[in-house]
Amino acid sequence: MEEPAVLERFDVDRIRQDFPILTRTVNNRPLVYLDNGATTQKPRQVIDAIVEYYTQYNSNVHRGVHHLSQLATDAFEVTRRKLKPFINSAHEHEVILTKGTTESINLVASCYGKAFVHAGDEIIISAMEHHSNIVPWQLCCEERGATLKVIPINEAGELDMEAYRSMLNERTKMVAITYVSNALGTVNPVKDIIGLAHAVGAPVLLDAAQAIQHLSIDVQALDVDFLVFSGHKMYGPTGIGVLYGKEKWLDAMPPYQGGGEMIKEVTFEKTTYNELPFKYEAGTPNIEAGICLAYAIDYINSVGLDQIARHEHDLLEYATGHLLEVPHIRLIGTAREKSSVLSFLLDGAHPYDVGVILDKLGIAVRTGHHCTQPLMDHYGIPGTVRASIAMYNTKADIDALVTGVERAAAMLL
Ligand code: PMP
């Protein structure tokens, strides 16, 4: 697999040509895809790689001596090799391939919980977590007799760092926090969060499901203990995700599931476990998705995360300014540090109705609680309309959104 050259200049029209789906229409209108927080579209490079895998070397990985199996194994391991510099992990074997963010968090909550969480201990999350970063910790606390603590947020949707400081103590066994909120767009001060947790000896898990495609992340510079994300939100396939863990934790935790690949030797009396990363990769993985995630990483690298972040930030500012001009609009999530998400309500209209009208205009947004029900409860709302931005979005997309919201306001209010 050749390394792609980095684009010299960010050219959104050129990028859009790589995403075949963006040329289709929906309800006889050009598609305006603003549901990237749910999943991103895939570039031709990723789609072609999927077809190539199934037409040229479909085979199981890590098992066969035959040619196709070796091709598939090599390609699968290329992804791990590319993920290492992408997040700057110290070792390749600290990169575990999972089904996605949800599985990665469940793995840590289960395995870390068994090894390190005991009755009377405390786990800290925040009020803006996705259900995937709440429920696994609730299960862990129930099983281990620990208590879940929740960092409150202010009206803008920023963490109350004073409250966080006062929650930390020697009983804190884990701090699990989202890097970027999927419902508000808040970018959390993760470096400070990690430093404060480490001062009481607690590790930190960062849910980077909404960060990895927007910001460049260096796990060593952050000194983060666990980092999790999904392939499908970063222009890659569904069914593949990543768990980065510091070697010392991954070595100390018990395995997650038993079965093929995670064993060294099995007898009926005793099983010994394989080395990292395979200790945590039981069973046949999603081979095609694992292989093709490398093409998504290449794609992101070829555009450059700094250029992507700049473009998306410009669009976010543009969209915020124009949406705020729409009568009866209320933005939910007005943090100083934000990335790529615009959540809003039209006062007096249900978000679902706004979403349906936008859909009629070919505009894809998300409506509802965004798997953050406690956060919606905090604001006393049933949900929001969420427009979420990716590298291929344009000012024309935002103009279409604003016009659509104006139409919805005229019809519903
Ligand atoms: N955390 C956050 C912040 C998310 O946005 C999502 C996806 N909406 C998840 C976790 C879960 O990701 P997945 O469904 O890919 O496991």
Side-chain angles (χ1 to χ4, degrees):
M1 209 175 149
E2 278 175 36
E3 295 292 332
V6 179
L7 283 184
E8 275 179 25
R9 190 172 66 80
F10 187 90
D11 180 348
V12 73
D13 295 326
R14 165 78 196 71
I15 289 169
R16 288 178 71 82
Q17 287 169 16
D18 287 330
F19 290 81
I21 205 170
L22 296 178
T23 58
R24 68 161 288 172
T25 55
V26 168
N27 293 323
N28 294 322
R29 307 274 187 141
L31 168 66
V32 175
Y33 188 77
L34 289 167
D35 193 18
N36 297 289
T39 200
T40 52
Q41 301 302 342
K42 321 303 172 200
R44 193 181 298 283
Q45 290 80 341
V46 170
I47 300 166
D48 288 349
I50 294 171
V51 174
E52 190 191 11
Y53 167 67
Y54 281 118
T55 52
Q56 298 299 319
Y57 59 102
N58 171 44
S59 197
N60 211 330
V61 288
H62 301 135
R63 285 173 203 182
V65 288
H66 64 81
H67 185 61
L68 297 191
S69 176
Q70 285 184 9
L71 288 178
T73 303
D74 289 350
F76 193 79
E77 289 303 318
V78 164
T79 297
R80 207 186 311 272
R81 207 168 311 137
K82 287 187 185 261
L83 280 160
K84 176 181 179 282
F86 190 65
I87 57 170
N88 193 31
S89 66
H91 308 288
E92 222 169 279
H93 59 251
E94 292 175 318
V95 176
I96 314 292
L97 292 167
T98 65
K99 273 195 313 199
T101 305
T102 303
E103 188 179 51
S104 297
I105 299 174
N106 275 278
L107 189 163
V108 178
S110 169
C111 304
Y112 174 89
K114 281 187 189 121
F116 295 105
V117 181
H118 302 101
D121 286 342
E122 295 173 357
I123 287 170
I124 297 180
I125 60 170
S126 87
M128 67 175 85
E129 298 311 312
H130 188 280
H131 296 164
S132 293
N133 200 29
I134 301 174
V135 184
W137 300 111
Q138 284 175 329
L139 292 169
C140 171
C141 285
E142 265 169 39
E143 197 180 297
R144 312 301 302 168
T147 307
L148 194 64
K149 300 262 173 169
V150 182
I151 310 169
I153 55 171
N154 64 19
E155 216 25 49
E158 295 162 325
L159 292 180
D160 179 341
M161 291 296 281
E162 268 320 301
Y164 171 55
R165 269 193 194 87
S166 69
M167 279 177 188
L168 289 162
N169 59 57
E170 70 288 353
R171 291 185 302 280
T172 310
K173 286 291 142 60
M174 172 64 77
V175 177
I177 297 285
T178 195
Y179 197 145
V180 174
S181 158
N182 67 310
L184 305 173
T186 309
V187 181
N188 284 319
V190 292
K191 187 92 182 121
D192 295 346
I193 290 169
I194 294 165
L196 290 164
H198 285 177
V200 296
V204 174
L205 176 143
L206 283 185
D207 174 352
Q210 300 291 344
I212 195 77
Q213 64 286 56
H214 303 301
L215 313 166
S216 76
I217 297 182
D218 179 331
V219 291
Q220 292 188 78
L222 286 174
D223 198 19
V224 69
D225 299 274
F226 298 100
L227 183 93
V228 299
F229 51 93
S230 300
H232 71 97
K233 294 180 197 281
M234 54 185 292
Y235 311 100
T238 39
I240 194 79
V242 173
L243 162 63
Y244 158 80
K246 280 185 186 164
E247 182 181 48
K248 69 168 180 177
W249 296 119
L250 296 176
D251 271 341
M253 289 165 16
Y256 185 43
Q257 295 177 325
E261 210 52 57
M262 57 72 76
I263 58 100
K264 189 171 264 164
E265 224 172 282
V266 181
T267 67
F268 285 120
E269 287 68 43
K270 184 166 172 57
T271 293
T272 50
Y273 306 128
N274 206 342
E275 293 155 3
L276 295 176
F278 308 113
K279 172 181 168 185
Y280 294 100
E281 295 184 357
T284 299
N286 188 335
I287 302 168
E288 149 240 317
I291 290 172
C292 298
L293 180 57
Y295 292 79
I297 295 167
D298 273 356
Y299 194 83
I300 292 174
N301 285 338
S302 74
V303 181
L305 267 168
D306 291 345
Q307 301 208 76
I308 293 172
R310 215 170 305 128
H311 172 72
E312 291 173 343
H313 187 260
D314 288 350
L315 282 184
L316 186 69
E317 300 248 293
Y318 181 79
T320 306
H322 283 77
L323 271 180
L324 281 173
E325 287 167 11
V326 180
H328 308 288
I329 199 126
R330 181 174 152 211
L331 279 188
I332 308 291
T334 50
R336 272 156 300 178
E337 297 294 330
K338 275 189 71 170
S339 168
S340 304
V341 170
L342 277 152
S343 253
F344 59 91
L345 287 169
L346 280 178
D347 276 330
H350 196 282
Y352 176 81
D353 296 332
V354 180
V356 169
I357 291 171
L358 292 176
D359 177 57
K360 292 269 176 286
L361 300 169
I363 304 167
V365 293
R366 186 80 154 193
T367 62
H369 54 61
H370 316 298
C371 295
T372 56
Q373 279 181 352
L375 179 65
M376 298 297 119
D377 290 347
H378 167 86
Y379 283 102
I381 54 178
T384 71
V385 182
R386 182 188 72 182
S388 47
I389 294 166
M391 67 164 103
Y392 42 67
N393 286 123
T394 60
K395 285 194 171 159
D397 289 339
I398 304 298
D399 292 341
L401 172 73
V402 173
T403 307
V405 176
E406 283 168 348
R407 282 275 289 278
M411 287 169 76
L412 297 168
L413 301 180

